[in-house]
Amino acid sequence: MTWHARGLGRLSARTFVVTGANSGIGFAAARALVERGGHVVLAVRDTGKGETAAARLDGPGTTSVVELDLADLDQVERCSRSLLAAGGDLSALICNAGVMGGPYLLSAQGYERQMATNHLGHAALIAGLWPRLHASGSRVVVMASTEARAGRLSSQTTREHLVDPTPYDGRQVYRDTKQANLLFAQELHRRCRAAGSPVSAVAVHPGASATNLFARQLAQAGHDRLASVSKLVTGMVLQSAAAGALSTLRALDDRTPSGAFIGPSALGQSRGRPKLLTVYPSGADPATAARLWVLTEEILQQRLPI
Ligand SMILES: NC(=O)c1ccc[n+]([C@@H]2O[C@H](COP(=O)([O-])OP(=O)(O)OC[C@H]3O[C@@H](n4cnc5c(N)ncnc54)[C@H](OP(=O)(O)O)[C@@H]3O)[C@@H](O)[C@H]2O)c1
């Protein structure tokens, strides 16, 4: 059955935290939620960009902006504390923000930046927000990618592979980060069910959507003109960010079961209406997921809550 965003119904009095909500798919998801009456907390690394984005979102829903730099674990902790202090029921945490490729850069704690941003920062945010997630029976939505299929994480993965991959292959590291996102969502789901926790977890991917993701990596490598061309071309050939955000929105539908994986249904999952997908073994292998969980705890130097 074709899924439509109207399946979400009215979202009045429901709160959603969306990471990276100032741009691309996160912004498109935030727009759809605000249009349905939800309150969206835009968790962004640049609050100026966040305020500008929030000003472009038309009600009936409401917005607020909170600073979140996923590539700095101290800042993630400050953000978690401020979100905990805000209190109230939290319908969902949407772990959307991400970076792709670009040069070898490090996070504030000296970890490879893509893994730090896409996986470690989000894992720390989930851990920091756990009391509110647990009390609310929240849904955690984690953004993966079709690239996750080519991830090389395994039950033998080492700490170094996650924080200091050598030699550096930015494309492969991106794939590994997205495999980590998919594995982490599956493991969170399994652990919540085993512990009887009311928290649910769903993984999504947006197909291939026209956002800043592709242009940004070119700009970071100093190819400004190529970045402009890329923005133009992706705008013509890829589906819109709003279409990509439908997977995220379907993940928020109460009828979507915990543990699901959602992505577009057409052209090799690159575009189209969102559907429930079968998770391929590399994205669901329990031994790899358990290894990732333990390594994540070791790197974050904190027990994950469940
Ligand atoms: N577009 C696609 O075809 C595609 C395909 C598969 C998966 N995805 C995934 O979709 C997600 C959203 O990407 P997008 O395509 O919408 O790209 P985008 O327009 O570049 O959005 C990425 C968002 O992540 C934020 N971000 C980057 N680093 C951050 C950090 N350290 N802390 C907090 N926020 C940070 C960005 O903030 P700034 O604006 O401040 O940089 C931006 O809001 C990513 O996880 C990406 O891997 C996208």
Side-chain angles (χ1 to χ4, degrees), residues 2-278:
T2 305
W3 188 86
H4 291 276
R6 61 176 174 268
L8 287 176
R10 301 309 301 166
L11 300 174
S12 316
R14 292 181 65 175
T15 297
F16 304 86
V17 173
V18 184
T19 72
N22 60 289
S23 163
I25 293 155
F27 178 75
R31 169 174 273 161
L33 296 172
V34 169
E35 280 173 0
R36 282 164 183 76
H39 175 69
V40 174
V41 181
L42 293 90
V44 296
R45 65 174 156 176
D46 179 333
T47 52
K49 283 191 198 173
E51 297 291 356
T52 305
R56 293 171 53 215
L57 297 172
D58 284 330
T62 51
T63 58
S64 58
V65 175
V66 66
E67 185 181 355
L68 171 69
D69 184 352
L70 290 158
D72 180 349
L73 294 173
D74 294 334
Q75 209 287 313
V76 174
E77 194 185 333
R78 285 196 292 280
C79 176
S80 304
R81 270 198 251 113
S82 113
L83 288 170
L84 282 183
D89 205 53
L90 179 59
S91 282
L93 168 64
I94 301 168
C95 299
N96 161 82
V99 284
M100 178 176 78
Y104 181 58
L105 293 172
L106 299 178
S107 71
Q109 282 69 33
Y111 305 141
E112 191 285 325
R113 185 193 56 135
Q114 292 190 77
M115 189 59 78
T117 306
N118 299 359
H119 169 59
L120 295 170
H122 279 125
L125 183 64
I126 293 167
L129 270 185
W130 193 257
R132 197 170 165 196
L133 296 172
H134 184 79
S136 308
S138 306
R139 172 144 294 189
V140 177
V141 178
V142 186
M143 177 60 84
S145 164
T146 49
E147 295 283 314
R149 192 184 280 271
R152 293 208 187 131
L153 303 183
S154 73
S155 59
Q156 308 302 314
T157 292
T158 62
R159 183 184 196 278
E160 287 61 41
H161 186 94
L162 296 183
V163 300
D164 184 20
T166 317
Y168 189 65
D169 174 349
R171 173 109 195 250
Q172 184 58 47
V173 169
Y174 179 72
R175 291 168 163 167
D176 292 350
T177 70
K178 291 290 133 183
Q179 183 193 12
N181 289 147
L182 182 50
L183 284 164
F184 198 78
Q186 302 291 304
E187 184 69 7
L188 183 60
H189 158 71
R190 279 192 292 269
R191 285 175 181 252
C192 287
R193 293 297 73 77
S197 165
V199 174
S200 58
V202 174
V204 299
H205 83 79
S209 307
T211 67
N212 289 328
L213 196 68
F214 304 96
R216 197 186 300 260
Q217 69 167 310
L218 291 166
Q220 274 170 350
H223 305 305
D224 286 339
R225 286 189 54 190
L226 264 182
S228 311
V229 175
S230 148
K231 195 119 177 79
L232 203 70
V233 174
T234 53
M236 289 189 295
V237 299
L238 304 185
Q239 70 172 354
S240 66
L246 288 176
S247 298
T248 302
L249 297 175
R250 182 162 186 174
L252 299 173
D253 189 320
D254 294 334
R255 294 166 296 182
T256 300
S258 183
F261 181 33
I262 297 176
S265 51
L267 280 179
Q269 296 179 17
S270 65
R271 56 170 62 232
R273 310 301 298 184
K275 69 169 187 179
L276 270 66
L277 306 170
T278 303

